[in-house]
Amino acid sequence: SQQGEEDPQALSIQEGENATMNCSYKTSINNLQWYRQNSGRGLVHLILIRSNEREKHSGRLRVTLDTSKKSSSLLITASRAADTASYFCANSGNTPLVFGKGTRLSVIA
Amino acid sequence: DAGITQSPRHKVTETGTPVTLRCHQTENHRYMYWYRQDPGHGLRLIHYSYGVKDTDKGEVSDGYSVSRSKTEDFLLTLESATSSQTSVYFCAISETNLGELFFGEGSRLTVL
């Protein structure tokens, strides 16, 4: 399987704290994407980082990419209860997007 | 929100019966995908399409077939459903083969 892995599998934090999720992948990539999934809903795209980029920001999200280590991280700053969801990384190489197994984030108010 | 509709949203069926899930888009995107989501496995690609009548297999294609006779519709068929195919099925679309995916709301299938 080319499926990547997110770490940790589950994360519980207090509102206002930062949340960091990590992702490892197995193949060379064109880009890496992060998605969010609220319970019972479809996935929603958050951010895309290309293989020649090292860091990208979007609002309270910060994504880093280290192609030498085949890893990426997603940082959510000043978390809110509404950030409670599962977060998935997906890598894009020569095949359709391959998703990891996700990190379940719980933000406690 | 991207115009993607999956039907049915919920279905309960018996082992051995055929099942067809439909994905309909109004975005005129070229690429369409079927994923299944299971606890402990995340999302896994079943089949995808890169144009009308152009389809290819994904990681977990055994027991599934697809058809795309027009741009807006992508059908996933389980010829003879098995209990291992109990899952939540997601359709997704994209404009390019490496770009952002837009997902439907999912179809929950239970095979008894």
Side-chain angles (χ1 to χ4, degrees):
Chain A
S1 169
Q2 296 181 28
Q3 207 170 22
E5 294 279 345
E6 283 92 344
D7 171 59
Q9 292 185 3
L11 179 61
S12 184
I13 60 173
Q14 297 289 327
E15 202 167 32
E17 294 180 337
N18 295 342
T20 299
M21 288 159 269
N22 302 298
C23 165
S24 61
Y25 57 91
K26 299 179 180 180
T27 63
S28 59
I29 62 169
N30 179 278
N31 65 62
L32 188 133
Q33 303 177 32
W34 286 89
Y35 289 77
R36 183 184 74 199
Q37 184 181 33
N38 288 75
S39 182
R41 306 296 299 275
L43 280 73
V44 174
H45 182 266
L46 294 176
I47 195 166
L48 180 154
I49 185 166
R50 303 189 192 286
S51 60
N52 60 354
E53 297 175 312
R54 291 297 168 258
E55 187 171 312
K56 200 163 184 179
H57 297 254
S58 176
R60 294 185 295 113
L61 305 181
R62 172 179 170 254
V63 169
T64 62
L65 179 65
D66 187 335
T67 54
S68 67
K69 295 181 179 178
K70 290 187 167 61
S71 67
S72 174
S73 67
L74 171 67
L75 169 67
I76 304 174
T77 60
S79 63
R80 306 166 181 168
D83 294 327
T84 294
S86 292
Y87 292 81
F88 295 86
C89 68
N91 63 82
S92 178
N94 293 321
T95 61
L97 279 183
V98 177
F99 285 83
K101 298 179 182 179
T103 292
R104 173 69 188 169
L105 173 65
S106 298
V107 181
I108 303 165
Chain B
D1 291 345
I4 309 169
T5 305
Q6 291 186 228
S7 60
R9 294 289 313 281
H10 301 272
K11 186 172 182 65
V12 179
T13 190
E14 293 188 348
T15 298
T17 59
V19 176
T20 295
L21 305 180
R22 180 184 184 231
C23 178
H24 178 78
Q25 62 147 329
T26 57
E27 305 297 321
N28 201 36
H29 284 357
R30 177 180 175 186
Y31 296 87
M32 299 186 75
Y33 311 84
W34 278 108
Y35 287 88
R36 62 177 288 176
Q37 185 174 32
D38 305 286
H41 291 280
L43 274 83
R44 292 178 293 174
L45 181 66
I46 305 172
H47 282 281
Y48 65 101
S49 170
Y50 46 95
V52 173
K53 292 185 169 43
D54 292 323
T55 64
D56 207 347
K57 296 179 180 180
E59 178 188 359
V60 290
S61 60
D62 286 349
Y64 302 95
S65 62
V66 291
S67 66
R68 191 168 179 202
S69 59
K70 43 187 178 177
T71 300
E72 56 265 37
D73 288 327
F74 193 33
L75 304 181
L76 177 70
T77 297
L78 292 66
E79 299 290 347
S80 178
T82 67
S83 58
S84 65
Q85 293 175 312
T86 291
S87 187
V88 180
Y89 292 85
F90 286 97
C91 175
I93 64 174
S94 66
E95 279 191 278
T96 66
N97 64 332
L98 300 177
E100 170 186 357
L101 297 190
F102 299 93
F103 281 82
E105 289 298 304
S107 295
R108 181 175 294 277
L109 175 67
T110 301
V111 183
L112 302 175

